[in-house]
């Protein structure tokens, strides 16, 4: 080996070692927590649904399925719309056929197992639509339940799933009081709405918000007092779903009815 | 089919059920608490002799311990069959997320396994050494013999001391491990109950009674299985010996199921009855309490329990699983056959209890306004219906007996009395 070769090789060796060390650099927990705290101070995503504005067209569901690549024919969806019908004689109906992917186009109510019931308009006391999605809970039951930490909450409040780490036990699906989770039929891992995290973190709106022609769906940052959505949530009368589970849901509803399950 | 959601195949939805809701935890999750229950129960039975010195149970105690050990290997199988990503199962050990009730499973499970294995080792130390020496002493060793030398040599862990003092120490260790094992076995199964009881989203599961109900029913099932298998093994041995005697036309002594065996079984059954009564009381308490307090979820629970699931709950679980065996055990004129039928009923009842908890807990929607009906896949048409269908259950049922067959070769249950410790 010539002197020159030796120098070259050792330089390579040192360089390689440094590169390896850089790659393996241990995260300083203090810095990490500081970064998380900073992010937490800046952003908290929240959703606002105005049920008065929803007409049950299902455009949001279509957009969501396309954007998030949930098979079109699969009987599950990250978001869905429910229809509630309460008749004059006190009967209560609710349905969400195919997660309302095709919208509610007639007055037949799906009773499951292939049965339907036709309710005449004049028999109805009240009827309305309620869009649903993951509540990105402040104290998420799903995160608590995941045995491997594949479901986790990011500092800005959104709950995400690591598809590469999920073992597919389904405990999170059982734990979520809102039934928003299911197994993705393609990846065979837990699946749910992420507020389109890949979009909102790039400054875009979630697909469903963009798709809703009636402005029934809005997203906002609770940490920003100037955010119009935050202003509504702070100053108007809004409700959340199933607050008694203690998960502190962050999807707020205008015009929430007692009937809504 | 890439569009079928997991659970969609066996779930029928009635009325208002949320679009993503399916019976996600299916038959293997019924099997999982059933199998762990058997493990824990078998262990408790063996401890009755080792710790509390119930002398008559000596033979069945050794049997129960070996059987508990074999069942132990089978207990995680249903979990693996249930996972959507079974090859990632080790993630639970790599990154356990301890806020989850499932995360500690491996810790609890391996602790328990270590205790059972330890107790078994002390119990069979003498036998292991003797077998080792027997193979080693052979003049001409076949390949098999050499393998056995290695196997048994390794199993002795190099502890060859067979002095009176050492054997006495063994006995002490057995007693200690058996005593330690009881709370751990109870914990193992109580913990399984906690996995369900802590799901706040599920109106049927969420009760602090769940772990206790699970522990007691686990003991019931474990004792029942031990009695049942014990009877069957005795019968098989008798049958085999009779065959041998016939072929040899010699006077091979046929082991008879004598009155001693009957009294062992009768005593075990007596313990079984005590635990059974306790289990029924707890389950009824839970039911009555729910009916009495009648919180929001009671309406839907009532229609599930009393209407949709009336047969599985009241006929199969309480009727065939609880009332019938109680009658069989308590009516005068106890016999081996009654013990046999009774224990089968008890096992069936405990299985139905697991079924009613797991499947029944998913029989209603989170909306409280709809139902889900479960249809067990019988003939598999893909890997999912194979794993989580009738074939899957049969496989899981058979597994412990296969393990038992192997384990029994190393730790023989029916050995000459002197060959194992604790033979005093
Ligand atoms: S709604 Fe369900 S899935 Fe979404 S964060 Fe809350 S508990 Fe988790
Ligand atoms: S299914 Fe996946 S994300 Fe859900 S609890 Fe299990 S491992 Fe976690």
């Amino acid at each position: 080996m010539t002197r020159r070769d030796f120098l070259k090789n050792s330089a390579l060796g040192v360089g390689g070692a440094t590169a390896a060390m850089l790659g393996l650099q241990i995260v300083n927990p203090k810095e990490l927590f500081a970064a998380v705290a900073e992010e937490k101070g800046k952003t908290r995503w929240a959703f606002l649904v105005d049920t008065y504005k929803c007409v049950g067209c299902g455009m949001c569901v279509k957009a969501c399925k396309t954007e998030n690549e949930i098979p079109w024919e699969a009987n599950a969806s990250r978001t869905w719309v429910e229809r509630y019908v309460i008749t004059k004689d006190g009967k209560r109906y609710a349905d969400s056929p195919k997660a309302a992917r095709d919208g509610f186009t007639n007055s037949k109510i799906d009773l499951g197992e292939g049965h339907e019931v036709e309710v005449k308009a004049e028999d109805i006391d009240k009827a309305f639509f309620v869009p649903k999605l993951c509540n990105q809970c402040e104290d998420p039951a799903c995160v608590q339940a995941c045995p491997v930490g594949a479901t986790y909450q990011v500092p800005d409040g959104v709950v995400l799933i690591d598809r590469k780490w999920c073992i597919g036990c389904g405990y999170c699906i059982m734990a979520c009081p809102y039934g928003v989770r299911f197994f993705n039929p393609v990846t065979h891992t837990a699946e749910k709405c992420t507020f389109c995290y890949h979009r909102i973190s790039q400054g875009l709106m979630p697909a469903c918000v963009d798709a809703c022609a009636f402005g029934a769906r809005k997203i906002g940052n609770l940490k920003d007092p100037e955010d119009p959505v935050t202003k509504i949530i702070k100053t108007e009368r809004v409700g959340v779903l199933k607050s008694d589970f203690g998960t502190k849901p962050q999807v707020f509803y205008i015009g929430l009815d007692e009937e809504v399950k | 089919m890439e569009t079928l959601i997991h659970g969609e195949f066996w779930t029928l939805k009635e009325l208002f059920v949320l679009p993503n809701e399916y019976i996600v935890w299916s038959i293997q999750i019924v099997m999982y608490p059933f199998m762990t229950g058997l493990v824990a129960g078998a262990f408790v039975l063996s401890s009755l002799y080792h710790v509390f010195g119930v002398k008559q149970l000596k033979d069945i105690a050794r049997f129960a311990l070996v059987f508990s050990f074999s069942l132990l290997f089978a207990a995680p199988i249903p979990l693996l069959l249930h996972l959507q990503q079974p090859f990632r199962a080790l993630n639970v050990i790599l990154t356990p997320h301890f806020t989850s009730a499932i995360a500690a499973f491996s810790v609890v499970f391996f602790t328990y396994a270590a205790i059972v294995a330890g107790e078994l080792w002390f119990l069979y130390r003498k036998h292991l050494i003797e077998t080792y020496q027997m193979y080693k002493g052979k003049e001409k060793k076949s390949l098999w013999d050499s393998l056995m030398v290695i196997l048994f040599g390794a199993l002795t862990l190099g502890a060859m001391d067979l002095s009176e003092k050492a054997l006495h120490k063994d006995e002490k260790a057995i007693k200690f491990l058996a005593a330690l094992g009881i709370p751990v076995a109870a914990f193992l199964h109580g913990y399984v109950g906690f996995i369900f009881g802590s799901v706040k989203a599920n109106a049927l599961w969420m009760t602090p009674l769940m772990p206790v109900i699970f522990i007691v029913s686990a003991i019931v099932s474990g004792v029942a299985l031990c009695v049942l298998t014990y009877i069957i093994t005795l019968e098989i041995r008798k049958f085999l010996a009779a065959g041998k005697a016939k072929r040899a036309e010699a006077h091979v002594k046929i082991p008879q199921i004598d009155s001693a065996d009957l009294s062992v079984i009768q005593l075990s059954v007596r313990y079984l009855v005590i635990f059974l009564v306790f289990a029924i009381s707890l389950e009824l308490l839970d039911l009555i309490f729910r009916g009495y307090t009648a919180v929001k979820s009671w309406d839907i629970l009532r229609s599930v329990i009393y209407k949709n699931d009336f047969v599985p709950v009241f006929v199969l679980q309480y009727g065939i699983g609880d009332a019938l065996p109680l009658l069989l055990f308590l009516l005068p004129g106890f016999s081996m056959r009654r013990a046999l039928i009774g224990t089968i009923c008890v096992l069936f009842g405990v299985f139905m209890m697991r079924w009613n908890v797991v499947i029944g807990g998913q029989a209603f929607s989170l909306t409280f306004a709809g139902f889900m009906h479960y249809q067990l896949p019988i003939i598999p048409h893909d890997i999912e219906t194979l794993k989580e269908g009738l074939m899957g259950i049969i496989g899981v049922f058979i597994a412990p007996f296969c393990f038992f067959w192997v384990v029994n070769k190393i730790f023989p249950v029916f050995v000459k009395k002197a060959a194992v410790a604790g033979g005093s």
Side-chain angles (χ1 to χ4, degrees):
Chain A
M1 191 191 281
T2 63
R3 200 183 135 89
R4 197 190 155 93
D5 276 349
F6 174 76
L7 281 177
K8 204 168 112 194
N9 282 347
S10 29
L12 264 179
V14 171
T18 329
M21 299 258 275
L22 281 177
L24 284 176
Q25 197 183 35
I26 291 165
V27 185
N28 180 347
K30 234 189 217 159
E31 276 170 27
L32 184 70
F33 284 127
V36 169
E38 196 196 327
E39 186 57 41
K40 268 195 173 158
K42 274 198 309 214
T43 323
R44 201 326 165 186
W45 294 110
F47 213 88
L48 181 66
V49 177
D50 188 341
T51 56
Y52 290 114
K53 291 185 178 154
C54 178
V55 300
C57 63
M59 294 308 274
C60 50
V61 181
K62 287 192 187 74
C64 176
K65 280 211 153 185
T66 315
E67 175 70 27
N68 294 297
E69 294 176 341
I70 306 300
W72 188 250
E73 287 306 326
N75 283 318
S77 176
R78 286 175 165 216
T79 186
W80 69 95
V81 182
E82 294 166 1
R83 166 172 63 179
Y84 289 84
V85 176
I86 293 130
T87 60
K88 293 212 167 82
D89 53 1
K91 285 211 185 75
R92 294 158 154 70
Y93 297 103
D95 67 345
S96 181
K98 281 230 161 247
R101 181 195 71 188
D102 306 325
F104 294 92
T105 48
N106 60 38
S107 49
K108 286 201 188 82
I109 292 170
D110 179 22
L111 296 182
E113 295 181 0
H115 301 295
E116 283 178 336
V117 61
E118 173 100 49
V119 181
K120 287 201 211 79
E122 59 267 28
D123 293 338
I124 296 175
D125 254 349
K126 64 175 167 183
F128 50 88
F129 299 102
V130 181
K132 293 241 182 115
L133 63 163
C134 171
N135 291 283
Q136 317 295 356
C137 306
E138 192 56 38
D139 289 328
C142 54
V143 173
Q144 183 189 39
C146 179
V148 296
T151 275
Y152 58 100
Q153 192 176 33
V154 283
D156 52 19
V158 177
V159 172
L160 301 176
I161 300 162
D162 185 345
R163 283 180 179 168
K164 291 210 179 68
W165 203 250
C166 167
I167 59 174
C169 65
Y171 205 18
C172 55
I173 303 179
M174 290 293 134
C176 170
Y178 304 94
V180 306
R181 289 179 166 245
F182 57 98
F183 276 124
N184 185 314
V186 182
T187 64
H188 299 285
T189 51
E191 180 72 55
K192 73 167 189 76
C193 156
T194 58
F195 280 1
C196 279
Y197 199 66
H198 57 293
R199 292 173 62 93
I200 54 176
S201 53
Q202 303 300 317
L204 299 170
M205 288 282 130
C208 60
V209 174
D210 266 352
C212 181
F214 303 88
R217 292 171 173 252
K218 291 196 179 85
I219 192 166
N221 173 8
L222 286 182
K223 291 278 158 65
D224 175 7
E226 294 309 312
D227 189 311
V229 171
T230 307
K231 278 187 180 154
I232 297 177
I233 293 173
K234 290 243 163 90
T235 59
E236 286 181 33
R237 276 166 276 183
V238 290
V240 292
L241 295 168
K242 302 190 183 186
S243 57
D244 39 346
F245 285 104
T247 55
K248 305 199 184 100
Q250 302 294 314
V251 172
F252 296 88
Y253 286 85
I254 297 175
L256 199 59
D257 190 87
E258 187 247 342
E259 254 329 290
V260 177
K261 321 277 189 205
Chain B
M1 251 184 291
E2 286 261 289
T3 55
L4 209 61
I5 305 293
H6 176 248
E8 191 174 352
F9 181 76
W10 50 74
T11 310
L12 269 183
K13 295 182 174 188
E14 184 191 347
L15 301 173
F16 182 36
V17 179
L18 297 176
N20 298 342
E21 271 186 296
Y22 294 99
I23 296 177
V24 173
W25 278 9
S26 69
I27 194 68
Q28 291 298 355
I29 298 294
V30 178
M31 293 304 289
Y32 161 58
F34 187 65
M35 299 309 278
T36 21
L38 295 176
V39 177
F43 186 83
V44 169
L45 181 64
S46 85
S47 292
L48 280 178
Y49 165 68
H50 291 298
V51 182
F52 302 109
V54 186
K55 286 261 162 10
Q56 299 96 307
L57 292 183
K58 196 177 136 224
D59 282 340
I60 203 171
R62 193 171 56 229
F63 174 84
L65 188 68
V66 176
F67 202 54
S68 177
F69 190 65
S70 330
L71 277 166
L72 201 62
F73 290 103
I77 297 178
L79 279 187
L80 287 178
L81 289 178
H82 158 77
L83 290 188
Q84 289 287 292
Q85 299 284 353
F87 296 117
R88 296 183 189 165
L90 278 187
N91 290 8
V92 180
I93 298 169
L94 293 177
T95 57
H97 186 239
F98 282 113
T99 58
S100 165
I102 296 184
F105 175 75
S106 44
V107 180
V108 180
F109 181 78
F110 286 120
T111 312
Y112 179 69
I115 290 174
V116 179
E119 190 182 335
L120 204 60
W121 186 75
F122 280 114
L123 191 64
Y124 278 93
R125 208 172 64 84
K126 194 170 167 209
H127 167 78
L128 293 175
I129 296 171
E130 282 170 358
T131 319
Y132 168 68
Q133 281 164 351
M134 188 266 285
Y135 278 114
K136 202 165 179 210
K138 278 194 182 173
E139 293 270 292
K140 262 212 219 131
K141 287 193 199 71
S142 64
L143 182 65
W144 176 253
D145 292 338
S146 314
L147 278 177
M148 286 299 117
V149 171
I150 296 174
L151 176 69
F152 279 92
L155 283 175
T156 59
L157 302 178
M160 298 290 182
D161 189 356
L162 275 182
S163 66
E164 201 55 37
K165 217 170 115 205
L167 289 183
H168 186 68
K169 268 194 187 153
D170 283 358
E171 268 176 51
K172 268 199 169 151
I174 292 171
K175 198 163 178 175
F176 172 73
L177 285 174
L180 183 67
I182 297 178
V184 179
F187 190 79
L188 172 70
H189 207 67
Y191 163 77
V192 175
F194 187 82
I195 290 180
F196 294 98
S198 63
V199 177
K200 61 181 166 188
N202 193 302
L204 185 78
W205 293 348
M206 206 189 80
T207 157
L209 271 186
M210 204 54 115
V212 193
I213 294 180
F214 267 66
I215 291 173
V216 181
S217 61
I219 298 175
V220 168
S221 66
V223 176
L225 184 65
C226 283
V227 173
L228 176 66
T229 327
Y230 193 69
I231 298 175
I232 294 175
T233 331
L234 281 177
E235 289 288 345
I236 292 178
R237 275 162 39 83
K238 199 172 87 175
F239 181 76
L240 289 182
K244 221 186 252 168
K246 221 183 207 170
R247 257 176 286 132
E249 303 225 347
H251 295 288
V252 177
K253 195 169 164 270
I254 302 170
Q256 288 292 332
I257 297 193
D258 48 26
S259 57
D261 287 319
L262 188 63
S263 78
V264 168
I265 287 161
Q266 198 160 12
L267 189 67
S268 312
V269 163
R270 208 165 293 155
Y271 283 105
L272 181 58
V273 168
I274 297 173
F275 288 120
L276 192 59
V277 170
F278 201 34
I280 301 172
S281 323
L282 277 172
E283 278 160 40
L284 286 182
L285 171 67
D286 183 48
L287 196 62
I288 293 168
F289 191 79
R290 284 172 192 279
Y292 189 79
T293 52
V295 293
K296 193 169 159 198
S297 57
W298 177 241
D299 270 342
I300 188 97
L301 287 186
R302 187 178 45 201
S303 40
V304 167
I305 296 172
Y306 291 111
K307 249 175 47 209
N308 296 3
D309 282 358
F310 183 84
V311 174
V313 173
F314 289 100
V315 180
L316 301 183
Q317 184 187 332
Y318 288 112
I320 297 183
D322 292 338
L324 184 63
L326 271 185
L327 278 180
L328 284 173
F329 294 149
L330 292 179
L331 285 183
F334 181 78
S335 69
M336 199 71 105
R337 180 167 308 154
R338 287 229 314 248
L340 192 78
I341 300 173
T343 46
I344 292 176
C345 288
V346 168
L347 281 173
F348 176 72
V350 174
F351 178 80
M352 282 318 295
M353 179 256 170
R354 311 293 193 234
W355 174 289
N356 288 329
V357 168
V358 175
I359 305 293
Q362 298 168 85
F364 55 94
S365 163
L366 287 165
T367 61
F368 290 166
F371 301 97
M372 288 191 277
H373 304 286
Y374 178 68
Q375 287 172 317
L376 177 75
I378 308 282
I379 298 164
H381 61 81
D382 60 2
I383 185 85
E384 199 159 281
T385 44
L386 177 74
K387 289 194 311 173
E388 298 183 51
L390 188 63
M391 298 302 142
I393 330 181
I394 294 176
V396 174
F397 265 128
I398 294 173
F401 294 97
C402 302
F403 291 130
F404 179 64
W405 185 77
V406 177
V407 172
N408 189 37
K409 297 266 163 218
I410 301 168
F411 304 105
V413 173
F414 301 97
V415 283
K416 279 174 259 87
K417 306 251 147 125
V420 290
S424 52

